[in-house]
Amino acid sequence: MNFFLENGGFILGLLGAALAAILPGIGSAKGVGMVGEAAAGVLIDEPQKFAKALIFELLPGTQGLYGFIICIMAMGKLNLGVELGIGLAVLMACLPIAFVGYFSAVSQAKVSLADINLLIKNESQSTKGIILAVMVETYAILALVSSIMLLGKI
């Protein structure tokens, strides 16, 4: 019990770092899996479309990377005995990428799934599909930058 009282800040900070890695990681894994299934269906009949299908599959994976970056940065702010306020600040700084990263990965996967249909029916327009999917990425990038800026203030 004494360990938890003395290291509450460390524990809260670890929670933030873990959430930053876990939630976007889950969203990205789910998204990459969803789009990968659809892409595999395309490749059965049209294996020459692999490179374009791969782009759509990779897009929802970036949020997991962003969460991992914030996890590493958050860990750099922590050590045993860190003050409770610092730990709470680290937790709060990790929340933008944790939550926005999860939801944007899943949303981007949905757009990428629609883009797989575009690739099937009108391959010459698939670049427009990439742009549509990247629009969702904007919010993950904003969350990443927010978490970086918040961690920088600690």
Side-chain angles (χ1 to χ4, degrees), residues 112-127:
S112 292
L113 280 172
D115 293 338
I116 291 289
N117 288 324
L118 180 63
L119 179 63
I120 293 168
K121 295 182 181 184
N122 193 351
E123 183 178 2
S124 66
Q125 299 299 311
S126 63
T127 302

Side-chain angles (χ1 to χ4, degrees), residues 44-97:
I44 291 170
D45 294 326
E46 301 178 85
Q48 71 278 8
K49 293 183 178 179
F50 173 75
K52 290 182 179 178
L54 181 62
I55 291 169
F56 291 123
E57 183 183 12
L58 291 174
L59 285 170
T62 57
Q63 287 84 341
L65 177 63
Y66 300 159
F68 180 67
I69 290 167
I70 294 302
C71 177
I72 291 171
M73 290 180 68
M75 292 298 297
K77 301 282 184 182
L78 301 173
N79 54 44
L80 284 176
V82 70
E83 295 174 13
L84 188 60
I86 299 294
L88 183 58
V90 169
L91 170 61
M92 299 304 288
C94 291
L95 293 181
I97 195 59

